[in-house]
Amino acid sequence: APLMTRPSLTANPLLLGFDQIERMLERIHKQGGDSYPPFNIEQVGNSGFRIAIAVAGFAPEDLTVEIENQQLVIRGRQAEQAERVFLHHGIAARQFRRAFVLADGLEVTNAGLDNGILSIELQRPETVTPTRTIAIQTR
């Protein structure tokens, strides 16, 4: 069977300077379908979002929320507890990395941990897009 390839954004001559978006899409594609930890994304008002991630068993010091390369990156890592002896170990305590690509102007305004749910609030500031006229030079 022929290998299916995704058409390149930069192959279209009308899309100028979108190399960074193409690299972002590649990273999303490589992230794969790992569903741990589960999360919700909800709309808040006209220009806000809330990401809720189920992180039961993680303390605030086990979690990091960072913005890097236009991505919101959430990492969780629990410290090893060698002194504990489990007769049954069915609760996942694995480390994770979950990334969300942020649109231009989207800002993280708050992050909080409550009852095993990490909530991250994002807001898009209201912007007015100005129109610029470019002067045409003659020789």
Side-chain angles (χ1 to χ4, degrees):
L3 182 62
M4 295 291 288
T5 57
R6 189 168 47 81
S8 172
L9 283 177
T10 54
N12 186 321
L14 301 178
L15 296 174
L16 303 175
F18 282 85
D19 305 24
Q20 181 181 359
I21 292 175
E22 185 143 27
R23 286 192 296 272
M24 247 185 274
L25 290 172
E26 253 337 285
R27 284 197 302 262
I28 291 169
H29 185 68
K30 286 179 184 171
Q31 189 167 322
D34 186 11
S35 61
Y36 181 79
F39 65 92
N40 292 336
I41 301 176
E42 58 185 289
Q43 179 91 33
V44 179
N46 288 333
S47 58
F49 302 94
R50 179 180 300 118
I51 300 172
I53 305 172
V55 291
F58 285 86
E61 59 271 14
D62 300 331
L63 300 165
T64 59
V65 178
E66 299 175 324
I67 307 254
E68 56 186 54
N69 296 327
Q70 259 187 297
Q71 289 189 96
L72 170 64
V73 180
I74 298 101
R75 291 184 180 88
R77 172 179 229 134
Q78 291 178 317
E80 291 294 320
Q81 297 177 341
E83 70 280 358
R84 297 176 76 179
V85 177
F86 291 97
L87 301 180
H88 175 77
H89 195 186
I91 299 172
R94 66 189 210 198
Q95 65 183 23
F96 70 86
R97 177 187 185 276
R98 169 96 37 210
F100 300 88
V101 177
L102 301 179
D104 279 341
L106 202 58
E107 305 222 352
V108 175
T109 58
N110 190 29
L113 184 62
D114 185 33
N115 291 324
I117 302 291
L118 174 64
S119 294
I120 301 165
E121 308 282 336
L122 301 106
Q123 190 73 33
R124 182 190 322 269
E126 297 296 326
T127 57
V128 177
T129 307
T131 302
R132 263 181 50 210
T133 302
I134 310 301
I136 299 172
Q137 303 294 321
T138 58
R139 294 182 189 193

